[in-house]
Structure formats: C-alpha cells, structure tokens
Amino acid sequence: MDEKKEPTLLQQRKKELFFAPTNGYDRLAPGEEEDIQAYCAGYKTFLDEGKTERECVDYAIGLAEAAGFRPLVRGEKLRPGDKVYRNNRGKSLLLAVIGQESLNQGAVIGAAHIDSPRLDLKQNPLYEEKEMAYCKTHYYGGIKKYQWTTIPLALHGVVVRRDGTVVPVRIGEAPGDPQFTVGDLLPHLAGDQAKKTMGSIVSAEQLNLFVGSRPFGTEEGSDRVKLAMLEILQEKYGMVEEDFLSAELMAVPAAKAVDIGLDRSVIGAYGQDDRVCAYACLQALLELEEAPRLTGVCVLADKEEIGSLGVTGMQSAAFDIFMSDLCDSQGAALKACYENAFCLSADVTAAYDPNFAEAYEVRNSAFLNYGVCLSKYTGARGKSGASDASAEVVGKVRRIFEENQVIWQLAELGKTDQGGGGTVACYMANRNIDTIDAGVPVLSMHAPFETTAKLDCYMTYKAMKALYTH
C-alpha cells in the first residue's frame, strides 16, 4: 500500500492562500439535504399561492398569524419577543420581532420584493376583432415580450365594482378552470417577422390576451362575442364593463412550481424573482422562537420591478412610519435606530449559464449550488444605481455566515458593459442604513418560468436566520 504523500510546499501554500470555492453539496452538514427538501416544499407552496403581491401578502399574513404575529397598534408599548406586522394596503407587508436591546441600538432588516414581471390588463381592455374577444395588456417590469406568447396564462387580481364591493379574481389555477394565452405568428408566414430584432418580434400592442370566441345568442348584431364575455363576467363576478376602470387584473403564467432535473435539485416556477428571497426573509423571521438581541424586521415590498415607487414601494414613507412606530413604542429615536441598523437587501442575481457564456465574466459570476450570493454592488455599467456596500459591511456579513455554516459566494450580475440591474438596496442606504445585496442565483430571470437551485434557496433562508440571531 502506498503511503500518503505529504503535500509539497507549493500545494500547501496554494491551499493556504488561494480562494477556491467549491460546490455546496460538498460542504453540507449532516442532515441538511433533508432540511433543504423540507424547506423547498414550503417555498413551492408559497409560489403557487402567491402569484401576485396581493396574494403573497394574504398568504404571508396567514403564516405570520399562525406563528403568533398580530397587527401593530400605534401607540402601544412593545416588549422583547412581541411579534407584530402591518399590512400596507394589501400589497406590501412589514413584520417585526422585538429584540432584547433597545431600538436605539439598531435593527436587522431583511428587505425583499414580492412583485414580478407580468401582463397587466389595461383599464379599458375588452374588445372584439373578427369575432374573437381579446383584452389589451400593458406589460409590467422588464420582459422579453416574445416569451409571453403561446403559453398558458391565468388571470389574477381584484375588481372594485361601482358599489365599492371588492371582488377577488383568480381564473386558470383550479382544476378544470379555463386559461388564456397570447398568440404568435406561425413559422410558415413569419418571413418578415424573422428579420426583426428580438425586441420587435412581438410589439407591446400585440400582447393581447385571447379570452373567447363564442357569440352571444343567435340574434344578428355587432360585438356578440364581447357581449358573451361580459355576460360570463357579470354572472360570475357581478361586474359590468365599466368596472374594468377600477380593477387590477393581471395575466400570469398558469404553471405550478415543479422540481426540475432527474435529481430534482432545481425548482422551476414563475415569480421566483424575488419571491425566493421574500420567502427566505419571512420564514427566517417567523421561526424566531426567542427574542433576538436586536429587533428583526422583514419587509415584503411592492413595485421594485418598476422603480420601487408608489405607496407600497420601498421608496414610500410606509417603511419609515412602521419603524417610527416601533421606535415610539420604546421611546427610541428613529435616527439612532437607522444609524445602527443593518439591512440585507435580499434580491436575486444572475446565475452563470454556460449556454450564454459570452454575457458573463466567469471569475466574478454566481453559480448554481454554491450558496447564497453576496453582491457588493449592483447597478449598470459604471455601478449606476448601486449603493456599493463598504468593505466593513462585507466583512461583517462574511464573518456571520462563516460562524453559522452558511454556504455563500460573492458575484456580480454579469459583464460590466453587458447591462445590469437594480434592487431596493440604494433606498435603504439612502436612509443611513448599512446595506448589502444578497440572494439566490437565478437562471432565465424575468422569464415566465425561472429556475433556482434548492441548495441556494435554503442557504438564503439560513443566511437570513443567522443575521436575525447574531
């Protein structure tokens, strides 16, 4: 039997000095594979139940109340261990577990967004053309428009009727439900279409949702198919065409979250940007059994895909008011809280895709199964729109992750001049809160069907829990 050779000086020094990340499955602790599967089962349910921000909020509140959370009452005195939340207009959610130390000492904040790219119905959407009924749409967020054709779509949202009644709509998800689609041109007639650039293959005004073709009755007249569609909507939801004016209806992919690959190591679903990080932040906070040292806060924000504007976006004062109310409950100063707070801007990043290697800088890319990905900065090209975390912030998070056996990596979104993207990090940093981006690497980001590695999903949850409890 050969004796084991001692490493050479070269090998030893390389091991001591080189940084060589390895696949996360080579670094899992005993029992963690089972934990990954259990966590991801709950995550897939969250995806299926929350395909819009409204549905995410409703589902998250159900989980929170089951874990002992209650609505925050302004002016009440809060004690360590209290669990409170605030529902912001049904489209964003803020939750907190009060810590042992005063809020003057800061808070640990996990901020993610629950809106995703989709097709919103316009305010006057329904029309008939050549005895086919369609709804006009306005795409929401950054999409490749051609990806939204010829796939099954479901219709979600709310209608506020003339009398003020709010009616929820969810068509295309239950067994036996009808579904919808946006058409495309057959290849036999697509000679001219094939000459167009990717961005113009399908125009925004061609993203028309097909909703029906059977005419109303047998009497001669115009718009009989449109009338038949309104008849169905009136019977099911009590609405008339004018009620579209005060409705929020959106077409989203009808597919359920599924396991991908022979080994089931990847999840495929709509809306993983950024519900994969939202669920991680939420679940980590819900599982806090004791009062953490610092108050833990989870922000599930709306409108990130279109600039974080509006009353439910991260730029809204709703977050400041929630934090101010928490501080008032202890006689703490909001400005002191912000000065000492830390925020993990939990948002996805681009996973390296060998099929499109030319878009990535491989030495600084995120990889599937290498864990939660820290991003010191996001933005575009010359870091435009980035908050750019300091070395001290990166070092602090790195230490916490290492102490808690969190498998992690650090990467950029892609090649410097290839493009870029933003997160809510800059809006948190603007409040004088130390902030860094971190999240799950995603393949096919912003497509109707995105993919993430289960290991990375779990490690993002584990990372958030480590931060809440450090």
Side-chain angles (χ1 to χ4, degrees):
M1 181 180 294
D2 293 335
E3 292 185 6
K4 188 175 181 180
K5 293 183 179 180
E6 291 292 325
T8 66
L9 178 61
L10 178 68
Q11 293 169 334
Q12 182 177 331
R13 294 301 284 164
K14 279 185 175 181
K15 184 178 180 180
E16 292 170 351
L17 298 179
F18 279 16
F19 174 59
T22 57
N23 191 292
Y25 279 103
D26 296 329
R27 294 182 275 162
L28 288 179
E32 278 199 312
E33 285 210 45
E34 292 77 11
D35 294 340
I36 289 171
Q37 297 302 326
Y39 171 80
C40 288
Y43 167 53
K44 287 188 289 185
T45 301
F46 179 74
L47 287 172
D48 290 341
E49 295 297 324
K51 288 193 174 181
T52 69
E53 62 276 12
R54 289 180 183 271
E55 292 172 352
C56 283
V57 167
D58 289 343
Y59 189 72
I61 288 174
L63 294 178
E65 291 183 342
F69 285 71
R70 57 178 173 78
L72 174 63
V73 177
R74 181 168 293 151
E76 68 174 315
K77 297 299 180 184
L78 296 174
R79 289 177 286 276
D82 282 349
K83 301 177 178 181
V84 294
Y85 73 84
R86 176 165 292 160
N87 179 351
N88 181 13
R89 298 169 172 85
K91 299 174 76 174
S92 71
L93 184 65
L94 305 106
L95 309 97
V97 177
I98 304 304
Q100 299 171 27
E101 297 188 11
S102 165
L103 278 156
N104 280 322
Q105 304 305 311
V108 178
I109 304 161
H113 68 90
I114 50 176
D115 61 315
S116 294
R118 60 182 188 247
L119 301 180
D120 287 344
L121 266 60
K122 292 189 177 184
Q123 267 26 80
N124 187 24
L126 185 61
Y127 72 99
E128 179 178 333
E129 184 74 29
K130 298 299 181 183
E131 299 180 281
M132 293 189 289
Y134 295 93
C135 281
K136 299 292 296 183
T137 71
H138 191 133
Y139 65 89
Y140 174 97
I143 68 170
K144 293 179 176 179
K145 294 184 284 292
Y146 70 86
Q147 292 182 330
W148 288 76
T149 64
T150 69
I151 60 172
L153 297 168
L155 196 62
H156 292 233
V158 296
V159 175
V160 181
R161 297 194 308 223
R162 185 182 300 167
D163 62 2
T165 305
V166 180
V167 182
V169 175
R170 187 178 171 102
I171 309 172
E173 301 290 354
D177 266 7
Q179 295 178 346
F180 310 92
T181 194
V182 173
D184 192 10
L185 187 61
L186 67 163
H188 310 70
L189 301 178
D192 290 339
Q193 185 190 51
K195 299 173 185 176
K196 296 181 179 180
T197 61
M198 181 183 72
S200 61
I201 290 173
V202 176
S203 72
E205 298 305 332
Q206 289 175 313
L207 293 174
N208 300 315
L209 195 69
F210 176 80
V211 296
S213 64
R214 183 174 178 176
F216 178 86
T218 57
E219 183 181 346
E220 291 291 328
S222 61
D223 287 334
R224 293 169 59 208
V225 177
K226 175 181 175 180
L227 179 60
M229 300 306 106
L230 287 170
E231 186 83 359
I232 294 169
L233 292 172
Q234 205 279 328
E235 180 181 340
K236 188 172 179 64
Y237 300 108
M239 65 179 290
V240 296
E241 185 176 15
E242 186 181 354
D243 292 328
F244 278 117
L245 300 176
S246 52
E248 289 180 0
L249 295 171
M250 51 205 70
V252 299
K256 304 291 186 183
V258 295
D259 290 346
I260 298 291
L262 293 173
D263 57 1
R264 297 179 176 269
S265 62
V266 167
I267 294 172
Y270 162 69
Q272 297 202 71
D273 175 10
D274 183 38
R275 293 174 191 137
V276 64
C277 297
Y279 184 72
C281 292
L282 174 67
Q283 195 63 26
L285 192 76
L286 299 187
E287 291 182 8
L288 293 180
E289 296 177 358
E290 300 177 353
R293 182 176 65 86
L294 295 176
T295 294
V297 176
C298 173
V299 183
L300 304 183
D302 184 24
K303 298 290 189 288
E304 190 274 345
E305 297 295 358
I306 56 172
S308 296
L309 299 166
V311 291
T312 53
M314 200 64 247
Q315 295 197 64
S316 165
F319 171 74
D320 305 289
I321 293 169
F322 177 72
M323 294 301 297
S324 179
D325 286 342
L326 294 182
C327 287
D328 290 346
S329 76
Q330 296 184 342
L334 179 64
K335 59 186 178 182
C337 178
Y338 280 2
E339 284 173 355
N340 295 309
F342 169 79
C343 175
L344 189 78
S345 170
D347 207 342
V348 298
T349 190
Y352 181 82
D353 189 337
N355 290 308
F356 303 98
E358 66 279 1
Y360 300 85
E361 196 268 279
V362 68
R363 290 176 179 81
N364 289 282
S365 291
F367 296 90
L368 293 188
N369 295 321
Y370 277 61
V372 58
C373 180
L374 286 177
S375 297
K376 188 177 184 297
Y377 46 82
T378 54
R381 297 178 175 85
K383 300 186 181 180
S384 175
S387 66
D388 203 348
S390 69
E392 290 84 355
V393 168
V394 178
K396 172 184 176 180
V397 176
R398 174 185 171 191
R399 174 180 55 78
I400 293 171
F401 285 0
E402 294 291 349
E403 289 174 352
N404 289 273
Q405 292 78 54
V406 175
I407 297 173
W408 65 281
Q409 55 186 314
L410 191 144
E412 297 183 8
L413 189 63
K415 282 184 176 178
T416 303
D417 278 338
Q418 195 69 30
T423 67
V424 302
C426 58
Y427 310 122
M428 284 302 200
N430 286 347
R431 292 176 162 100
N432 197 27
I433 298 173
D434 276 336
T435 307
I436 189 171
D437 282 296
V440 177
V442 176
L443 290 171
S444 305
M445 192 191 299
H446 279 217
F449 192 77
E450 301 168 313
T451 48
T452 59
K454 290 182 177 180
L455 184 147
D456 302 332
C457 298
Y458 176 77
M459 286 300 159
T460 302
Y461 147 80
K462 191 175 178 181
M464 200 65 242
K465 197 164 186 180
L467 290 166
Y468 281 141
T469 57
H470 84 278

